[in-house]
Amino acid sequence: MGRAPCCDKANVKRGPWSPEEDAKLKSYIEQHGTGGNWIALPQKIGLKRCGKSCRLRWLNYLRPNIKHGGFSEEEDNIICSLYISIGSRWSIIAAQLPGRTDNDIKNYWNTRLKKKLLGRQRKEHQLARKSGLVKQDIIKRSGGVGGNSNSHSGILAADGQNSYWPELPVLAVPTVLPQQQQQPCFNDHASIRKLLIKLGGRFSSNHDTNQATQDSSTDIQPTYQVLDDNNNIPYAATAVTPTHQMDEHYSGKNMQSLLVPRHGIHALNSPSAPVALSNIDVISPHQFAQTHYMVNTDNIDGAGNGIMHNMFQGQGGNYVTDQLKEMAVYNNNNTNNQQRFDGMEFLYGDEMMIMNNRIVSSYGESIGWGEMLGCPPVASSSDDYNAGMDRLMPAAPVQECGFANDQLMSSYPGAPL
DNA sequence: AAACGCAGCAACCGCCCGTAC
DNA sequence: GGTACGGGCGGTTGCTGCGTT
């Protein structure tokens, strides 16, 4: 059944907004708010516009504190990191960048970042061809699945060099897939994400491509925790952003406002990425497994306590909270796995499917979530989970594990409800 | 100087989801 | 439980300005 249009298209004005229209809309909303009904709003103020159009105009342009253009390197990195994690969910990405709108970020991605990425990819490809044999040898010696200790590398490299993105574990997939011998095709999210992973997320011009090709597979770097004065782990942007390069928003006095509140959202046992839930799984498969699902949503205060409020002010606390809750639990739903797995093929090759919670590759192998991500496959309780994580990452402290609720804890992939 | 092509961005479109009835 | 409706979102379109030929 079709839907009735939200407005009479014949009688509404379309196209660019005039200053007069802007002024009308802005002054009305500032005085009266939206009244909870965008459809009725234009009639109230005598605008011949569709309600949806008014909403967009307000959200993307007239709303206070909107920033346009001038994206920083840090913002680039955050956008790319989140793109890897969650794909083109621009509204969630926008929630991480104060003053940015989803539309702005979407446009920026489509018109600039993607091209920037392509430019780097060409360089990478040339270098990869030169160093391909050497790299394979190093991967072989470094141990492959599980035994690869670089899978929980940290925010900063041991030598103090920036490691914008933590390294990803090298999985025991065929080292060179047929597709990888060709120029990648960037016609879908998955391909772009694969490239992002391959590049290690380094978009900064001060990162030369040599560095990029090396540290994605060869460096074994210690983990650094960035803690605040109260031994809390600050905002997850540190995972993608060296502390000394963080912009003012994420550093110094503002850092305090970004701290995860006690008993709030916590990334469990995440050595390098203390990930506030909203940052989801910015980084490594370890973190993808852990931070994505280990969420004590009971303690998320949608009304805006602590980090949630500070990060999402103006976004509607409950909205973001709900988004995050959704992400925290989705993996319990097999039907969602396929959708959510889109773009994660980089973990196990291009051809794969999910059968009974196991990922089956085109190579006839089957691994569980936990195995694939280097995590305990099943945690039936918080103790089990912690034990498993201790085994895997003994050096990584558990910060404020929010195990107030076993149900949410069990949303770890493969865990029982 | 004119024509053309391209990049950037604002706005629109259509679908999905949550909610009220 | 089914339907209608509004809000929200991601994808796409089309306009504008700038650079190149």
Side-chain angles (χ1 to χ4, degrees), chain A residues 184-291:
Chain A
C185 171
F186 295 95
N187 56 1
D188 56 27
H189 294 316
S191 300
I192 292 169
R193 277 196 253 178
K194 271 189 280 192
L195 173 56
L196 279 164
I197 292 291
K198 189 178 168 189
L199 293 180
R202 283 164 281 268
F203 291 88
S204 305
S205 53
N206 60 358
H207 247 100
D208 68 31
T209 50
N210 272 332
Q211 178 70 22
T213 50
Q214 284 173 16
D215 60 14
S216 64
S217 62
T218 63
D219 290 352
I220 297 175
Q221 299 168 345
T223 290
Y224 285 78
Q225 287 249 356
V226 180
L227 300 177
D228 71 349
D229 292 338
N230 300 318
N231 278 339
N232 286 321
I233 304 176
Y235 178 50
T238 54
V240 293
T241 309
T243 50
H244 64 279
Q245 287 195 356
M246 280 189 273
D247 66 25
E248 188 186 357
H249 184 79
Y250 298 127
S251 61
K253 63 181 188 299
N254 289 323
M255 183 62 84
Q256 190 64 35
S257 70
L258 292 165
L259 297 178
V260 177
R262 193 171 181 82
H263 304 306
I265 309 161
H266 299 282
L268 291 185
N269 217 347
S270 179
S272 62
V275 178
L277 170 54
S278 55
N279 288 284
I280 323 229
D281 49 307
V282 179
I283 332 289
S284 73
H286 275 303
Q287 291 154 5
F288 185 84
Q290 295 152 30
T291 66

Side-chain angles (χ1 to χ4, degrees), chain A residues 285-297:
Chain A
H286 275 303
Q287 291 154 5
F288 185 84
Q290 295 152 30
T291 66
H292 219 130
Y293 310 107
M294 298 301 125
V295 178
N296 178 1
T297 54

Side-chain angles (χ1 to χ4, degrees), chain A residues 10-28:
Chain A
N11 290 322
V12 296
K13 186 184 170 191
R14 297 170 61 186
W17 281 64
S18 68
E20 292 76 23
E21 288 175 312
D22 281 347
K24 263 188 184 179
L25 181 62
K26 193 175 181 186
S27 78
Y28 181 86

Side-chain angles (χ1 to χ4, degrees), chain A residues 165-186:
Chain A
W165 291 11
E167 287 70 35
L168 293 162
V170 178
L171 299 175
V173 294
T175 313
V176 179
L177 300 173
Q179 298 95 313
Q180 289 174 321
Q181 293 173 316
Q182 303 163 3
Q183 285 286 355
C185 171
F186 295 95

Side-chain angles (χ1 to χ4, degrees), chain A residues 17-34 38 41-42 45 47 49-59 61-63:
Chain A
W17 281 64
S18 68
E20 292 76 23
E21 288 175 312
D22 281 347
K24 263 188 184 179
L25 181 62
K26 193 175 181 186
S27 78
Y28 181 86
I29 292 178
E30 282 173 349
Q31 287 175 28
H32 304 97
T34 64
W38 284 106
L41 191 144
I45 57 179
L47 276 178
R49 289 277 181 175
C50 171
K52 285 189 170 189
S53 179
C54 293
R55 175 183 161 272
L56 274 179
R57 186 64 181 171
W58 170 255
L59 292 177
Y61 198 81
L62 299 175
R63 191 160 51 111

Side-chain angles (χ1 to χ4, degrees), chain A residues 113-171:
Chain A
L113 269 184
K114 208 155 67 176
K115 288 169 189 168
K116 200 171 173 180
L117 186 62
L118 282 168
R120 286 200 76 85
Q121 189 275 337
R122 287 194 194 97
K123 286 185 187 174
E124 289 290 323
H125 190 256
Q126 288 170 356
L127 272 166
R129 279 205 291 204
K130 288 179 187 171
S131 62
L133 288 174
V134 177
K135 192 173 173 180
Q136 284 181 43
D137 184 53
I138 293 168
I139 291 170
K140 205 174 174 181
R141 280 186 280 134
S142 69
V145 174
N148 187 357
S149 62
N150 73 349
S151 58
H152 27 103
S153 59
I155 298 163
L156 297 175
D159 60 1
Q161 287 183 324
N162 302 341
S163 179
Y164 271 31
W165 291 11
E167 287 70 35
L168 293 162
V170 178
L171 299 175

Side-chain angles (χ1 to χ4, degrees), chain A residues 300-356:
Chain A
I300 298 171
D301 182 353
N305 282 336
I307 190 168
M308 296 304 288
H309 176 66
N310 285 303
M311 288 173 63
F312 304 124
Q313 54 185 329
Q315 296 288 333
N318 284 329
Y319 162 67
V320 177
T321 304
D322 290 346
Q323 291 277 319
L324 299 173
K325 283 181 180 174
E326 173 210 338
M327 290 190 160
V329 301
Y330 74 74
N331 236 359
N332 282 326
N333 184 344
N334 283 348
T335 61
N336 282 342
N337 277 348
Q338 184 60 62
Q339 177 198 348
R340 298 295 184 168
F341 215 68
D342 288 348
M344 298 303 292
E345 307 91 305
F346 62 84
L347 289 170
Y348 208 71
D350 284 320
E351 302 296 329
M352 62 178 186
M353 49 190 165
I354 296 172
M355 297 173 65
N356 298 326

